[in-house]
Amino acid sequence: RQWFFKQARTRDIMSYEALLELRQIKWLLAALVFLFLLLIVVLVLGMRALGRAQRNSSVIFEKNNFIGEMQRLEASGKYDEMIEKAGARSLPYPNEPEPYWYLSNAYYRKGEYGVALDKIAQLKAGDPIWFREGSDEYVEEIQGLMKGPTRDGV
């Protein structure tokens, strides 16, 4: 009899220990699944951030190319081509100030001062911070040219 009870108690202790081990295994598996899911979320968010950064860098590259092209066209006196390209650039990027600046500059160089002032007004409305120091003198110069020569002949 004693032997039977001793065997039964040993089995109970062993099954209790096995139950504890199974619980530990269950929690370890749950922790591994959680870490795996966390890793997936971090990877997905990282890929999205990388995609945004690549898009932003391509927009900056595109903008720098545009500015370089406008400067080249202005230096070579191709104002009609400046107007065409800057106008095309302002359609997909209506809040970007540079196309309006180059449009204004091209119209100014062609002697179309009223249109140049209109483009400056669009620039100011879209981005008043960009249009700052020295800009008022530019507008005054255009307005003076629209009025014609003064008494001093200037």
Side-chain angles (χ1 to χ4, degrees):
R1 261 182 148 194
Q2 266 185 337
W3 178 81
F4 178 74
F5 286 120
K6 192 174 185 181
Q7 288 292 349
R9 207 171 24 191
T10 304
R11 263 193 319 244
D12 288 344
I13 290 171
M14 287 175 66
S15 64
Y16 179 72
E17 287 174 356
L19 189 61
L20 286 177
E21 286 180 20
L22 286 174
R23 278 188 181 161
Q24 288 175 343
I25 291 170
K26 177 182 82 172
W27 285 111
L28 285 173
L29 284 173
L32 284 174
V33 167
F34 174 76
L35 289 174
F36 181 72
L37 291 174
L38 184 62
L39 177 66
I40 289 173
V41 167
V42 167
L43 287 175
V44 167
L45 291 176
M47 295 301 285
R48 286 182 63 201
L50 181 63
R52 269 189 245 121
Q54 286 176 337
R55 280 191 300 276
N56 288 342
S57 67
S58 69
V59 167
I60 291 169
F61 180 74
E62 224 178 90
K63 186 176 185 177
N64 288 339
N65 280 345
F66 168 74
I67 291 171
E69 184 175 17
M70 289 295 105
Q71 292 170 345
R72 182 183 57 75
L73 291 171
E74 181 180 10
S76 61
K78 297 181 179 177
Y79 306 123
D80 288 327
E81 195 173 340
M82 271 180 78
I83 291 168
E84 179 185 324
K85 291 190 181 210
R89 174 82 181 182
S90 69
L91 295 175
Y93 302 103
N95 297 326
E96 194 174 273
E98 289 84 5
Y100 298 105
W101 172 254
Y102 286 109
L103 281 168
S104 171
N105 198 9
Y107 283 115
Y108 168 78
R109 302 256 184 225
K110 286 182 66 172
E112 298 179 32
Y113 304 123
V115 181
L117 284 178
D118 289 342
K119 297 303 172 187
I120 289 293
Q122 286 178 317
L123 170 60
K124 276 183 168 180
D127 193 348
I129 295 171
W130 192 88
F131 192 79
R132 49 185 177 276
E133 197 172 312
S135 304
D136 290 331
E137 290 84 11
Y138 179 69
V139 170
E140 288 172 7
E141 180 182 337
I142 294 173
Q143 289 171 338
L145 289 169
M146 288 176 71
K147 291 178 186 174
T150 61
R151 279 185 264 165
D152 299 334
V154 179

